[in-house]
Every structure is written in C-alpha cells, then in structure tokens.
Amino acid sequence: TFTHSDLTIDLLLTDVILPGMNGKDLSEKLSKISPSLKTIYISGYPANVIRSVEGRAFLQKPFTRAALLEKIKESLSRG
C-alpha cells in the first residue's frame, strides 16, 4: 500500500488487465489518494468486449502517439 499526503496524480494510463488486479481496481485505489484522478484504459481487446471500460476513456492497442496525445488532452480537459 502506498500513501503520501503530498501526492497528487492527475492522470493514470493503465491496461485493463493487470497481473493480480485490473485497471479499474488500480484506478479506484489511486482515487483514494487523488480524488480528481482521471484514467485512460488501454487494451488489445475491443472496448465492447471489456465491460469494465464502458463509458470510460479507452484506447485500443495498438494506438499512435497522436491518438494517445488526443486522449490525454480530452481526459484532462473534462471537468
């Protein structure tokens, strides 16, 4: 468990499927440290196959740097 009172995380880029947990669980844990955290999920599986990312910022692998940059800008500009 990581805790740090001065830490603010603005954006998390995480794969949907991780060893030992999933990206949604990671995002929820980090949101406790940084409540305004924005998350972009990535996966090789299409978003319609992975129910946990429905309605969330998602990039399907492979993606370009331009697509990543656009998704980052879009995610950080959301209120």
Side-chain angles (χ1 to χ4, degrees):
T1 302
F2 178 81
T3 57
H4 192 284
S5 61
D6 296 330
L7 179 66
T8 300
I9 304 168
D10 295 316
L11 181 69
L12 170 65
L13 177 65
T14 183
D15 206 304
V16 175
I17 300 170
L18 302 169
M21 74 167 47
N22 61 53
K24 185 177 178 215
D25 291 342
L26 176 61
S27 180
E28 288 173 357
K29 286 183 182 203
L30 290 175
S31 290
K32 292 177 183 173
I33 297 168
S34 191
S36 62
L37 175 73
K38 309 275 193 289
T39 301
I40 299 172
Y41 296 94
I42 61 174
S43 180
Y45 296 102
N48 63 343
V49 172
I50 305 169
R51 293 181 185 243
S52 64
V53 297
E54 288 181 35
R56 302 176 196 281
F58 178 78
L59 274 173
Q60 185 174 347
K61 295 179 199 176
F63 51 84
T64 65
R65 285 183 274 189
L68 174 60
L69 181 59
E70 184 61 33
K71 190 61 73 171
I72 289 170
K73 288 178 181 179
E74 177 185 304
S75 295
L76 290 176
S77 68
R78 286 188 194 154

